[in-house]
């Protein structure tokens, strides 16, 4: 009989859970759930060696462990720091963490253009959410921003390098999911950019997944560009018969028209099942799909608003609104 593995206890923003040894602080926070989960722009649980690049998941470790209760001297990247038994972490409750996240957001927006009104990712962009939560009104930099021409990486994928934050997710997914990777990060420092090798195009069967893993609007679907704003479409779960992939996808529909097809994602924006190029780019007719029902988007982005809410969720929302109104009236009377 094998010995039971001792779990480590960790407390994040006053909430305690037990996790297996080797679990990162970020995944421990995701196990707890709620607003104590740090944002992550580069970490992807399904991709090996991801994380540690964007620094948006920085947290304060106020207690290292039961064996060594000293706090860690600096903020740590929660996606790259493993849990120790008895560790205590501050995320929302740490002023240092919030200030650091604000500074990191400012750096991510250093060369990123504010072109949300024309970007296809607007409404489901992680950087857009981060900018609204931690961004500043004006930039403190005076030098000229890096600019690049838009590039076609094959027949179905468009690269707007201006928007790229060099999270390397697309490079990792191409290297780990497909048989051959034809692009990567070229040059170094502030000259680094995503590009293909000479005279190459991204055209293998699963390369379309680089669009889904991109947290910003750097990689977009050429078959759906500028077709509709995301909040004007309705996401529905659908399946099809496919020999290459699971055939499980999300159809973004405008009336009876399928505007685009994406893989299904969890609440942290990570793909549940990668889909092939045929399902993504070629099956734009409803006759290919068996529609299961509406897709509930749990993220706080605009695409989750006023779409589909279960009756119990509507009741909870109604109670929260009534409570907030009562508190406001009470404050006014006092």
């Amino acid at each position: 009989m094998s010995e039971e593995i001792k779990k480590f206890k960790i407390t994040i923003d006053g909430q305690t859970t037990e996790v297996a040894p080797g679990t990162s602080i970020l995944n421990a926070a995701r196990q707890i759930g709620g607003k104590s989960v740090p944002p992550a722009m580069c970490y992807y649980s399904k991709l090996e060696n991801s994380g540690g690049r964007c620094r948006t998941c920085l947290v304060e470790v106020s207690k290292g462990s039961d064996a060594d209760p000293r706090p860690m001297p600096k903020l740590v990247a929660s996606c790259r720091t493993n849990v120790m038994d008895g560790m205590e972490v501050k995320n929302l409750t740490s002023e240092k963490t919030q200030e650091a996240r604000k500074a990191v957001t400012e750096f991510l927006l250093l060369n990123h253009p504010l072109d949300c009104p024309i970007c296809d990712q607007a409404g489901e962009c992680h950087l857009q959410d981060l900018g609204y939560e931690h961004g500043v009104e004006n930039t403190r930099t005076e030098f000229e921003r890096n600019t690049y021409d838009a590039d076609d990486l094959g027949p179905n994928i468009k690269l707007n390098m201006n928007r790229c934050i060099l999270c390397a997710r697309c490079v990792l997914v191409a290297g780990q999911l497909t048989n051959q990777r034809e692009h990567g990060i070229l040059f170094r420092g502030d000259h680094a950019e995503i590009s293909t090798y000479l005279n190459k195009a991204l055209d293998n069967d699963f390369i379309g997944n680089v669009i889904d893993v991109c947290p910003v609007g750097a990689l977009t679907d050429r078959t759906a560009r500028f077709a509709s704003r995301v909040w004007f479409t309705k996401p529905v779960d659908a399946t099809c018969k496919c020999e290459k992939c699971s055939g499980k996808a999300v159809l973004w529909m405008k009336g009876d028209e399928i505007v685009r097809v994406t893989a299904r994602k969890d609440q942290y924006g990570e793909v549940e099942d990668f889909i092939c190029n045929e399902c993504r780019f070629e099956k734009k007719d409803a006759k290919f799909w068996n529609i299961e029902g509406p897709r509930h988007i749990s993220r706080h982005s605009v695409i989750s608003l006023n779409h589909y809410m279960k009756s119990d969720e509507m009741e909870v929302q109604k109670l929260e609104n009534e409570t907030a109104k009562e508190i406001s009236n009470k404050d006014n009377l006092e």
Side-chain angles (χ1 to χ4, degrees), residues 107 143 307:
F107 275 112
F143 54 82
H307 271 200

Side-chain angles (χ1 to χ4, degrees), residues 102-141:
K102 184 176 180 180
V104 168
T105 304
E106 186 176 1
F107 275 112
L108 290 177
L109 292 170
L110 202 63
N111 289 300
H112 191 91
L114 298 179
D115 60 352
C116 300
I118 62 169
C119 179
D120 281 303
Q121 192 83 354
E124 54 181 352
C125 176
H126 293 229
L127 184 58
Q128 190 179 41
D129 295 340
L130 204 64
Y132 277 122
E133 293 171 6
H134 301 284
V136 293
E137 292 182 0
N138 300 308
T139 180
R140 293 182 291 177
T141 57

Side-chain angles (χ1 to χ4, degrees), residues 319-334:
L319 288 173
E320 289 178 351
N321 292 339
E322 290 177 353
T323 302
K325 188 175 180 180
E326 289 177 2
I327 293 174
S328 177
N329 292 337
K330 184 178 178 180
D331 291 340
N332 291 334
L333 290 174
E334 291 178 351

Side-chain angles (χ1 to χ4, degrees), residues 44-48 169-170 172-174 176-178 205-214 242 244-249 262-265 269-277 279-280:
Y44 216 80
S45 62
K46 298 173 179 63
L47 299 177
E48 296 179 6
R169 284 182 179 181
C170 63
L172 293 174
V173 77
Q176 297 175 27
L177 188 64
T178 64
D205 286 340
F206 282 83
I207 199 62
N209 290 286
V210 299
I211 298 170
D212 281 340
V213 301
C214 182
C242 183
K244 298 178 182 178
C245 67
S246 64
K248 297 178 180 179
T262 65
R264 300 183 184 184
K265 298 181 181 181
E270 296 187 4
V271 172
E272 296 173 358
D273 289 300
F274 293 107
I275 61 174
C276 66
N277 286 1
C279 291
R280 182 184 302 275

Side-chain angles (χ1 to χ4, degrees), residues 197-321:
Y197 304 132
L198 291 176
N199 300 320
K200 297 293 184 179
L202 307 186
D203 60 357
N204 60 67
D205 286 340
F206 282 83
I207 199 62
N209 290 286
V210 299
I211 298 170
D212 281 340
V213 301
C214 182
V216 294
L219 293 165
T220 50
D221 182 349
R222 289 183 63 193
T223 67
R225 279 172 65 85
F226 309 125
S228 175
R229 306 304 290 183
V230 67
W231 51 85
F232 292 139
T233 60
K234 304 291 185 180
V236 296
D237 284 337
T239 57
C240 71
K241 294 181 179 179
C242 183
E243 297 179 354
K244 298 178 182 178
C245 67
S246 64
K248 297 178 180 179
V250 176
L251 311 182
W252 298 80
M253 304 190 69
K254 194 172 184 180
D256 295 329
E257 177 189 1
I258 299 176
V259 175
R260 65 173 179 149
V261 180
T262 65
R264 300 183 184 184
K265 298 181 181 181
D266 60 20
Q267 61 180 320
Y268 301 112
E270 296 187 4
V271 172
E272 296 173 358
D273 289 300
F274 293 107
I275 61 174
C276 66
N277 286 1
E278 183 180 349
C279 291
R280 182 184 302 275
F281 300 122
E282 299 177 17
K283 295 183 178 180
K284 292 294 185 71
D285 195 319
K287 68 181 181 182
F288 295 115
W289 299 94
N290 175 31
I291 296 177
E292 299 175 347
R295 177 77 174 176
H296 179 67
I297 307 296
S298 58
R299 285 182 56 225
H300 63 279
S301 180
V302 67
I303 56 176
S304 64
L305 301 178
N306 303 323
H307 271 200
Y308 309 104
M309 293 182 69
K310 298 177 182 178
S311 57
D312 54 345
E313 292 174 340
M314 294 179 68
E315 289 298 324
V316 170
Q317 185 68 43
K318 185 178 179 181
L319 288 173
E320 289 178 351
N321 292 339

